[in-house]
Amino acid sequence: MGIIDTHSHYNDEAFDEDREELLLSLPTKGIDRVVNIAVDIESSKECIELADKYDYIYATVGVHPSYVHEMQSDYIEKLKDLAKHEKVVAIAEIGLDYYWSTEHKEKQKEEFARQLELAKELGLTAVIHSRDAAKDTLDMMVAKRAGEIGGVVHCYSYGVELAREYLKMGFYFGIGGVSTFKNAKKLKEVIAYLPMESIVLETDAPYLSPVPNRGKRNSSLNIPYIVEEIARIKGIQAEEVVQRTFENVHRLYPKLG
Ligand code: NI
């Protein structure tokens, strides 16, 4: 039993200098498993390479909403092929992002729908990225019966009311470094509201380092700060947060074994 980081990007160039050293150190520092998340076809391949190299790293394949407009029409076939790898646990990260790219809204919706369908077809879960697109994301997930797919809403950034809708669909909530920010009042309310059964830990490394390392390169080694904050909000021990989230991830991703 140990910490599971359900969302990292260790293929990112931010880790080029010390990737091997850092990844080898994780199991010695209480990090039990890592799910490395893809954002396009190239990173999907890189995720699989990392999963091949390290037995405690698992992979996803998928295209982030900010990159779907760059894809060639056969990209779904490529994802389908890559998803055959035994350590691929989800189609990710997929969704809608109107913060970074408002100019491709229709394309984003179209490709989100296609990737949700792919997850369903392959019997995989989905990791959802949704920013400034609350209504469209929920509408699409309801329309595509995402409750039958399941997965994680990553870096959850909306309020309690919407959280209730995702809970109804059986989705898990990825809680990361933002939870430790002083001004993250809304997220702290959501954490207080969520049942422990629905929370999983994540970093989004190299991004979103928790306090006291805010602004620096993030890694799974920072997760204890997130654990402490969840424990404080929930009024439980840190060990219980680690134990419960560990159980949640194994329910979500039985392949992690
Ligand atoms: Ni991410």
Side-chain angles (χ1 to χ4, degrees), residues 41-60:
I41 297 293
E42 196 48 41
S43 61
S44 297
K45 291 177 188 163
E46 289 166 357
C47 284
I48 289 172
E49 279 166 26
L50 285 175
D52 274 334
K53 195 163 176 192
Y54 303 93
D55 60 356
Y56 48 90
I57 296 185
Y58 289 75
T60 72

Side-chain angles (χ1 to χ4, degrees), residues 194-208:
L194 290 175
M196 265 318 290
E197 290 77 29
S198 69
I199 294 176
V200 297
L201 302 168
E202 68 173 37
T203 54
D204 209 17
Y207 311 106
L208 297 175

Side-chain angles (χ1 to χ4, degrees), residues 199-252:
I199 294 176
V200 297
L201 302 168
E202 68 173 37
T203 54
D204 209 17
Y207 311 106
L208 297 175
S209 268
V211 173
N213 294 324
R214 189 171 179 179
K216 296 183 190 158
R217 186 184 75 170
N218 199 4
S219 85
S220 311
L221 299 176
N222 282 321
I223 287 196
Y225 298 115
I226 300 160
V227 168
E228 285 297 333
E229 182 60 13
I230 296 172
R232 188 191 67 75
I233 293 170
K234 291 295 203 186
I236 59 177
Q237 297 293 314
E239 300 84 77
E240 191 180 343
V241 173
V242 173
Q243 171 77 42
R244 300 289 292 277
T245 53
F246 179 88
E247 290 165 5
N248 294 345
V249 178
H250 280 83
R251 220 167 35 243
L252 170 67

